[in-house]
Amino acid sequence: MPVPTGFLARPRNWWADRRRVPVLAVVIALHVGLILLLLLLAPPLPKGKPGITSMVAVNVAAPTPQRAQPKPQQQKAQKAPSNPQPKPMVTVDDAPPAKWSFGDPALKDFDLSKVPSADSAPAQMAEAGPPDSAVVGVAPDGSKLYAAEWQREPTNTELAFYLRKARYSGPGAFGLIACRTAPRFKVEDCRPLGESPGSGMGYAVNEAAWQFRVKPPRVNGDYQVGTWVSIRIMITPPGN
């Protein structure tokens, strides 16, 4: 007897559907659990109007450094009053009145209006300066020969070695030379001009002249370096 096809297939499909139900339930449960887990892990939405995202700003304050504790001396200084009261002034009834003195007492009657102006000062200085050097002869080159003025007189020690070479260097002996002035009060190109008769002092003085220090002649108020001067060395008795 032939069996209907639909009759045999119906129990088999029904049995397959029954087996799919637990699987489907497990899948649904897994999805529900996953959705719940996502909801629990998601951050809470900020309060605000619906549909508008609100931003929350968080200010993090930097840690403040600890200040050093003041020492006991500093604490005492801080406790001291900032404006100390001045001490009372002690006055003496019989004290003499104070006298104020400014500068030199000799300037008490000084009058600034009587001081000459700066324009007249150079002329007065020129008038008060030393006179020009005197002309005493003719130099070896034919120019004027001026009287010498010592910047530093030679010592006996500086002259003794050279004067011993003279034939006579006793009292009254002299030597006369002409020298050209040089920078730093030195002399050069010295030449003998005269001497006491037969003494040989002219050549002795001429050899010692490298030690001499002489001021240049003064002409028209100015010192003229390079001009000629006459230098005379004379032996005098002790005590003169």
Side-chain angles (χ1 to χ4, degrees):
M1 180 176 181
V3 179
T5 304
F7 178 79
L8 294 176
R10 182 178 303 171
R12 186 168 49 192
N13 293 338
W14 176 81
W15 177 254
D17 293 338
R18 288 187 60 186
R19 294 181 60 184
R20 291 193 185 99
V21 171
V23 176
L24 183 59
V26 172
V27 172
I28 293 173
L30 290 175
H31 282 78
V32 172
L34 182 60
I35 292 172
L36 294 176
L37 182 61
L38 293 175
L39 294 176
L40 293 176
L41 295 177
L45 295 176
K47 297 180 179 181
K49 296 181 180 181
I52 300 177
T53 303
S54 61
M55 299 179 63
V56 179
V58 180
N59 295 326
V60 180
T64 56
Q66 296 181 356
R67 297 183 179 178
Q69 296 296 331
K71 296 181 180 181
Q73 296 179 356
Q74 296 179 355
Q75 292 179 355
K76 293 180 179 179
Q78 293 177 0
K79 293 180 180 179
S82 58
N83 296 324
Q85 297 295 329
K87 296 181 178 180
M89 183 179 297
V90 179
T91 58
V92 181
D93 298 336
D94 298 335
K99 296 183 179 180
W100 298 93
S101 176
F102 296 93
D104 191 350
L107 300 178
K108 180 179 179 181
D109 299 330
F110 176 75
D111 189 0
L112 183 61
S113 61
K114 297 181 180 180
V115 177
S117 60
D119 297 338
S120 60
Q124 294 179 358
M125 293 175 63
E127 294 176 359
D132 291 350
S133 301
V135 178
V136 295
V138 179
D141 63 351
S143 61
K144 295 180 179 181
L145 182 65
Y146 296 90
E149 181 182 356
W150 292 112
Q151 191 270 339
R152 179 186 65 83
E153 293 186 5
T155 63
N156 294 334
T157 304
E158 294 174 341
L159 295 173
F161 175 78
Y162 298 96
L163 297 185
R164 282 198 300 264
K165 298 180 181 181
R167 291 185 295 272
Y168 174 74
S169 59
F174 71 91
L176 180 64
I177 62 175
C179 299
R180 189 161 54 88
T181 56
R184 304 178 68 177
F185 305 105
K186 295 182 179 181
V187 292
E188 56 189 11
D189 299 337
C190 296
R191 304 176 189 182
L193 292 182
E195 60 184 16
S196 54
S199 65
M201 283 286 294
Y203 292 95
V205 173
N206 189 69
E207 291 183 2
W210 67 272
Q211 306 172 94
F212 296 167
R213 296 294 181 267
V214 177
K215 295 180 181 181
R218 184 181 177 87
V219 180
N220 297 327
D222 297 328
Y223 289 105
Q224 304 293 328
V225 178
T227 53
W228 290 80
V229 293
S230 174
I231 301 175
R232 179 186 177 96
I233 299 295
M234 184 176 182
I235 307 300
T236 59
N240 293 344

